[in-house]
Amino acid sequence: MPRRTATLLTSTLLLIALLCVGVLIPVPYSEMSPGPTVNTLGDNDGQPVLQISGHKTYPTSGNLNMTTVRVTGSDYTMNLVEAVAGWLSDDDVVVPHSTLYPDNQTAQQANQEDAEEFSQSQDSAKAAALKALHIPVGSQVVVGAVVKGDPAEGKLHAGDVIKAVDGTAVTQPGDVAKLVTKHKPGQDVVFTVIPAKNAGTSGAATRKVAVRTAKASDNDRAIVGIQAQTAHTYPFPINIQLANVGGPSAGMMFSLGIIDKLTPTDLTGGKFVAGTGTIDDNGNVGPIGGIPLKIIAAHDAGATYFLTPKGNCAEASQNPPSGIRLVEVSTLNDSLGALTDIREGKLSALPSCTKG
């Protein structure tokens, strides 16, 4: 066998051996990539994303797309070859597994946390939208958060409406703690709740949930491990139907979609606008994770404008795909103003993201 042929054969066999070894070597990493993007003004899986009844709605056009990031699951084991491929890809990001799933978080725990954040973001999105339209918003007591490892974990969930504790109606978040601490540690306390998924449904049924109290770490009082807070009630039903999506980052886009449907002005003027950002009850827009991947997802879907939280602008501007304009926003009013400029063709007035 000629020396050159032998060398090539040896090199090929060595490469195959290395690839085989690489496939078998697990590495502690996870992968993030551009995820699905959904038009909040349209349908998803055959039903409208935004479902509003009991109030006049108006036709819409164009797109107000929320964006997502696809991630490998907490129980997925990446091998060395996949990690190297991810590092070399322009559209994927490889990060330490603990970045996405801290404290060895299970898939169920991660999904539950994402679902609870998503539920809270929907509530804030509705409140911010209605306040922007000067439509009155009421309030009710809900589970704001559940402390990991405490008795309420897995029994009560963020967004559950608390109607009563041990049969006594509650009207303020402070009522919940007062009624729980009447118990001794180890005793059961009974919550009457409307599950978070039904919280916006008129006449939703309640259910009773018994939780055994525990002793607080700093004194002898009884606790169950929840934080009660005030959530909103609305003068007409607004339901957001979007499965398999979690986290708070779609809040701003949901608010814009609600406003578009409730006002005669066509916010986009037929343009394809995408975006991301958390939102609070007062319409303040906050930064999110995975911004470069969300911009790629929006660009690939056809968006030409991307509403970008101010806190993400520096990162977003590093290497965005061509053909999509990054518009800096800090509030819901900023986003509405940007949509006006886009709709009217006043592009020179748009506040663009710049590199930090």
Side-chain angles (χ1 to χ4, degrees), residues 57-72:
T57 57
Y58 298 85
T60 61
S61 70
N63 290 64
L64 285 172
N65 278 44
M66 53 80 68
T67 51
T68 66
V69 171
R70 183 180 285 109
V71 299
T72 51

Side-chain angles (χ1 to χ4, degrees), residues 113-127:
E113 182 177 318
D114 283 346
E116 291 177 352
E117 289 180 340
F118 188 62
S119 175
Q120 289 298 305
S121 76
Q122 290 182 55
D123 188 59
S124 293
K126 297 172 190 178

Side-chain angles (χ1 to χ4, degrees), residues 36-154:
T37 174
V38 179
N39 186 10
T40 62
L41 303 176
D43 292 352
N44 186 59
D45 291 336
Q47 60 180 339
V49 175
L50 298 176
Q51 301 177 3
I52 301 173
S53 57
H55 193 282
K56 182 175 177 60
T57 57
Y58 298 85
T60 61
S61 70
N63 290 64
L64 285 172
N65 278 44
M66 53 80 68
T67 51
T68 66
V69 171
R70 183 180 285 109
V71 299
T72 51
S74 65
D75 54 355
Y76 179 78
T77 301
M78 178 176 285
N79 63 51
L80 183 59
V81 172
E82 291 171 324
V84 172
W87 282 319
L88 295 176
S89 171
D90 291 332
D91 292 349
D92 301 322
V93 175
V94 175
V95 298
H97 187 272
S98 58
T99 300
L100 297 179
Y101 305 103
D103 303 322
N104 295 317
Q105 191 178 48
T106 66
Q108 182 178 3
Q109 290 170 332
N111 291 338
Q112 182 63 49
E113 182 177 318
D114 283 346
E116 291 177 352
E117 289 180 340
F118 188 62
S119 175
Q120 289 298 305
S121 76
Q122 290 182 55
D123 188 59
S124 293
K126 297 172 190 178
L130 296 191
K131 287 180 180 181
L133 297 174
H134 306 291
I135 297 174
V137 176
S139 64
Q140 59 191 0
V141 179
V142 300
V143 177
V146 179
V147 179
K148 183 178 179 180
D150 278 0
E153 185 179 16

Side-chain angles (χ1 to χ4, degrees), residues 1 17 20 23-24 55 70 127 146 173 187 194 214 222 336 349:
M1 179 183 298
C20 291
V23 169
L24 297 174
H55 193 282
R70 183 180 285 109
V146 179
Q187 294 181 330
I194 298 174
L336 292 169

Side-chain angles (χ1 to χ4, degrees), residues 3 20 64 86 115 135 158 163 167 171 219 225 252 255 267 278 297 318 323:
R3 179 177 298 177
C20 291
L64 285 172
I135 297 174
K163 304 297 290 185
T171 58
N219 56 36
M252 178 185 69
S255 286
L267 292 187
T278 64
Q318 293 304 310

